[in-house]
Amino acid sequence: MKSPKVLALVATIAWGSANAATPSLPPLPTLPPPPPMPVPQLTGVQGAVLLDVNSGQVLMAENAEKPLNPSGLVKLMTAYVMYQAEKQGLVQPQQQVHVSDVAWHAQGSRMFIQPRLPVTMAQLESGLLIDGGNDAAIAIAQTVAGSVGGFVELMNYDAAAMGLQHTHLINPDGLPQPGQTSTALDIARLSERLIQAYPQVLQVAGKASYTYNHITQYNYNPLAGQDNINGLGVGLAAKNSWNLDVSATRDGRTLVAVVLGVPSRRAAGSDASALLHYGWGGWRNRPLYAAGQVVAQIHHVDWSPEAVQGVTTRAVVVSAPKQQLGAKLQTQFVPQANLKAPIGAGEPIGTLSVRWHGHLLQTIPVVAKAAVQSAGWFARLLHEGESWL
């Protein structure tokens, strides 16, 4: 059997040529060299990541995969499972929630729910994301899954499905428990997925305050209420060890800055602000491929039709340093090993890597545009003849 002949339709791409939207991309590509804009000096953080949600690229990382106590940032996964349950129709935002004694007597930060005091899922959402209410987290868990333990199983299932390899969760509120760990990169990837799947979180998590039962509490995020800031969460891992996850959107571009283990809440805000400034000032996004754009073609005489076109599964955006926008990007299509017909439309046929100055930026899945079948003897004979022309 003859080997397939592969043609990459786009080998070198002039920067900024196609129209694209937000992708969901593989974790932690190799970072390019730092751009001329200096990387910010952070205040004794134990881990930090700056991620561009539109491109999926990590723009800055420091101890990104060091396992740490995620503390209150666990609530982001609690919110994800809650939104998932709402989407599936298991709960409704305006439904009244039964408050158990366990939720009522939750330790730490609270929104002050009580048994027989009316509260809806939507109010619990605000109490969770703005007040950081541990009582809200427990009430959500019990309402969605029937028990805290069952809800935590859902949280870990979703963490595994997202590829968060260093994340293991014990509770929905983030109170310290042995074995509960995550990393700055995992938190950033969780934030990316949460924003992409349930963008309504940005309408809640960035609010400066929330009032429930005549009690007004203020967001622990020190950047909440500032221009462009729309989330996401805060946690106190230990005395003098603050975790902060900040999202911000400007001109349709969303960045996520995660800092873990910072000596004070104020310092965490300063570090996150510095990361966002670095992302806005040092990097720029450009569309690379539209969704469904043809980027490769494979020929094989044993196939019918003889050629299959490879297309992107989603629109793709690439982040690169502003000062280097004149540089060209190189792409390379790598077909899937031992590719054989039949191939269904939409089935994976390979990947396309995007490089800048030899550094891998993204790896893009490529799928078949149309189905391909095994060719009969007559079709193979025609293909053989055409190859001699």
Side-chain angles (χ1 to χ4, degrees), residues 216-283:
T216 298
Q217 297 192 78
Y218 293 90
N219 198 323
Y220 280 96
N221 180 347
L223 304 185
Q226 297 185 16
D227 289 345
N228 307 315
I229 303 298
N230 48 25
L232 276 169
V234 187
L236 181 61
K239 185 179 180 179
N240 301 325
S241 182
W242 286 84
N243 298 334
L244 179 61
D245 183 353
V246 177
S247 62
T249 302
R250 179 188 294 179
D251 298 327
R253 181 184 175 206
T254 299
L255 300 179
V256 167
V258 178
V259 291
L260 304 182
V262 188
S264 70
R265 188 167 69 99
R266 182 175 180 178
S270 297
D271 285 344
S273 182
L275 286 174
L276 293 173
H277 177 72
Y278 171 70
W280 301 132
W283 297 76

Side-chain angles (χ1 to χ4, degrees), residues 8-18 20 30 32-33 55 57 283-289 316-333 352-364:
L9 299 185
V10 186
T12 303
I13 305 163
W15 179 244
S17 58
T30 304
S55 68
Q57 289 176 225
W283 297 76
R284 184 175 296 175
N285 286 357
R286 285 293 183 269
L288 185 59
Y289 297 118
V316 178
V317 171
V318 172
S319 302
K322 281 186 176 181
Q323 292 84 347
Q324 303 294 329
L325 292 183
K328 290 188 175 182
L329 302 175
Q330 294 78 40
T331 65
Q332 182 181 14
F333 173 69
L352 190 73
S353 62
V354 182
R355 297 180 182 273
W356 174 74
H357 291 298
H359 295 270
L360 180 66
L361 295 180
Q362 296 182 20
T363 301
I364 303 163

